[in-house]
Amino acid sequence: VNIVTKKPSFEKFTSLKTEFGNYNSRKASIYTTGPMSDALAYSFSANVNTRDGQADNPTTGNPVGDRDRFGFRSELLYAPSDDLSVRITADYDEFDEICCVVGSAAYGAANQVIGLLGGKVIPNDPYSQKAFYDFDPTSKGENAGLSVHIEKNYSNTTLESITSYRTSDNNEVQDVDFDSANVIAPSPISKELSGMTLFSVINALAPMMQFFPIFAPFKITAPIPIKELSSIIQPCNITR
């Protein structure tokens, strides 16, 4: 699957969208684009998503399952001529939530043991909107990226180069026994990912296509070995 995002436009345009719902749900997003000069255009989009928790944790007295998310994406397009374009894109998003809520479909022997130990468990009703945790589970994360996309067109050839860098940081702390008794210690999970991608593609139309239209365009892919950059970057780094 090859997804190509929309380029900034040299025509001014702005849109704004808002939504409101129950549990104090509020969503807002904005997109704007336009020219900065005859050869330079911009686009910018941002969104925010907040909501109170839709369930309760009677143990702590706090709501659970809220939403608190924010993100933006900005891009510059430099097009000094019809045969050359340079796109520089940056994006960032973050979330910090008390998540998540699970329901109980069956009250089993393990639940009875927890009850004997003085703990309360999720009711035998998946729609009760209650979750008995001995602490509030949290989910936090940040993601960011930067890319440079250069495209140069020749008479029968297109040279395309994309260089990108992305980071992702996620931290989860869950009450994995799903009850108010301190039976199993919290299980924090942290993941940090980072990577850099460099590659170039040459799309060439064979000159004989004008005589043999059945011939299709072909691609020559020339990735830059990441090993050559190992002294300055980490292609992928995962920690727990």
Side-chain angles (χ1 to χ4, degrees), residues 46-69:
N47 65 88
V48 60
N49 181 357
T50 62
R51 187 194 68 199
D52 295 340
Q54 60 184 10
D56 295 318
N57 181 1
T59 305
T60 64
N62 297 323
V64 185
D66 66 343
R67 287 288 180 269
D68 188 358
R69 304 178 180 184

Side-chain angles (χ1 to χ4, degrees), residues 170-213:
N170 177 247
N171 181 265
E172 307 278 345
V173 183
Q174 302 293 323
D175 183 9
V176 295
D177 54 24
F178 301 105
D179 56 59
S180 63
N182 190 13
V183 177
I184 302 178
S187 58
I189 300 177
S190 295
K191 297 180 181 179
E192 295 181 6
L193 304 175
S194 63
M196 188 170 188
T197 303
L198 300 93
F199 70 92
S200 60
V201 176
I202 300 175
N203 297 325
L205 295 175
M208 62 178 62
M209 276 193 65
Q210 57 183 316
F211 304 105
F212 302 97

Side-chain angles (χ1 to χ4, degrees), residues 6 11-18 28-34 42-47:
K6 187 177 181 180
E11 295 183 5
K12 181 67 176 178
F13 174 79
T14 299
S15 66
L16 177 65
K17 181 180 180 181
T18 58
S29 61
I30 185 174
Y31 173 79
T32 182
T33 184
Y42 74 92
S43 67
F44 176 81
S45 62
N47 65 88

Side-chain angles (χ1 to χ4, degrees), residues 32-207:
T32 182
T33 184
M36 299 180 69
S37 68
D38 292 339
L40 188 64
Y42 74 92
S43 67
F44 176 81
S45 62
N47 65 88
V48 60
N49 181 357
T50 62
R51 187 194 68 199
D52 295 340
Q54 60 184 10
D56 295 318
N57 181 1
T59 305
T60 64
N62 297 323
V64 185
D66 66 343
R67 287 288 180 269
D68 188 358
R69 304 178 180 184
F70 166 77
F72 74 86
R73 184 177 186 273
S74 59
E75 181 174 344
L76 290 176
L77 170 63
Y78 177 62
S81 60
D82 294 337
D83 57 5
L84 175 64
S85 67
V86 180
R87 299 175 65 181
I88 302 176
T89 307
D91 67 88
Y92 172 83
D93 69 87
E94 64 180 28
F95 58 94
D96 185 355
E97 302 169 345
I98 300 178
C99 178
C100 294
V101 181
V102 297
S104 177
Y107 191 90
N111 302 118
Q112 297 175 14
V113 173
I114 295 299
L116 293 175
L117 294 175
K120 294 183 178 180
V121 299
I122 299 173
N124 193 22
D125 178 4
Y127 307 106
S128 67
Q129 300 295 77
K130 294 185 182 298
F132 290 90
Y133 302 135
D134 52 294
F135 65 91
D136 294 322
T138 59
S139 178
K140 302 178 181 181
E142 291 182 321
N143 305 283
L146 178 67
S147 69
V148 179
H149 185 176
I150 304 174
E151 187 173 346
K152 174 65 176 177
N153 296 311
Y154 298 95
S155 57
N156 291 317
T157 305
T158 298
L159 175 62
E160 188 174 3
S161 173
I162 300 176
T163 303
S164 64
Y165 178 76
R166 175 157 291 278
T167 64
S168 180
D169 185 6
N170 177 247
N171 181 265
E172 307 278 345
V173 183
Q174 302 293 323
D175 183 9
V176 295
D177 54 24
F178 301 105
D179 56 59
S180 63
N182 190 13
V183 177
I184 302 178
S187 58
I189 300 177
S190 295
K191 297 180 181 179
E192 295 181 6
L193 304 175
S194 63
M196 188 170 188
T197 303
L198 300 93
F199 70 92
S200 60
V201 176
I202 300 175
N203 297 325
L205 295 175

